[in-house]
Amino acid sequence: KQWYQRRVREVQSKLMAELRSTEINNFRDLTKLEYTEKCLLEGLRMGPALLRGTRTYLTNRKGKVGPYKIKSKNIRIHFSEYVMHMDPTNWEEPKKFNPDRWNNGFNPASFSYL
């Protein structure tokens, strides 16, 4: 709990410093808020807007989606964004709120972030 409280204060301090030091006059200026964007991405990773999603796989043939074989032509695929976003095979320390993981144009692995 102490680590979490320290981390929240650190992130909040960096976020407030960026907001105070950045002049925003129009919508395009929002791109200057780089740390704010990282915090939003990390917040959506840890608490996605949808806990479960559905995709309908429409095709006239059988096939594959990633490593999974699709044995029928038109099926629904159910998935959990939360589980995908907390998978330790794709995210280092997935339960840790870390906006800095989005540094240097970080691009998550396919199908690990929606």
Side-chain angles (χ1 to χ4, degrees):
K1 185 175 177 174
Q2 289 177 349
W3 171 88
Y4 178 76
Q5 289 172 339
R6 280 193 313 271
R7 182 66 181 151
V8 168
R9 280 193 293 266
E10 176 188 325
V11 168
Q12 186 178 15
S13 295
K14 287 173 76 173
L15 188 58
M16 291 308 296
E18 179 181 70
L19 292 171
R20 287 185 181 119
S21 67
T22 307
E23 188 174 330
I24 305 294
N25 294 315
N26 58 51
F27 189 73
R28 279 182 246 129
D29 289 343
L30 293 174
T31 60
K32 297 176 186 176
L33 299 173
E34 294 177 11
Y35 193 72
T36 301
E37 181 181 10
K38 293 173 191 175
C39 288
L40 290 170
L41 288 170
E42 186 67 356
L44 287 170
R45 184 191 69 79
M46 293 196 74
L50 298 173
L51 295 179
R52 185 185 72 137
T54 302
R55 296 285 188 264
T56 302
Y57 183 73
L58 298 173
T59 183
N60 57 3
R61 59 185 170 81
K62 299 174 185 177
K64 287 180 82 173
V65 174
Y68 303 102
K69 291 181 181 178
I70 306 300
K71 296 180 180 180
S72 60
K73 293 181 181 179
N74 298 321
I75 65 166
R76 283 203 169 125
I77 299 170
H78 297 273
F79 59 90
S80 168
E81 285 186 36
Y82 180 79
V83 170
M84 290 168 43
H85 294 176
M86 293 295 167
D87 184 353
T89 59
N90 292 313
W91 302 95
E92 186 176 320
E93 298 182 275
K95 293 183 180 179
K96 180 180 177 183
F97 184 82
N98 181 14
D100 296 324
R101 76 173 77 239
W102 300 91
N103 285 344
N104 303 319
F106 169 73
N107 193 12
S110 294
F111 304 108
S112 68
Y113 183 80
L114 296 177

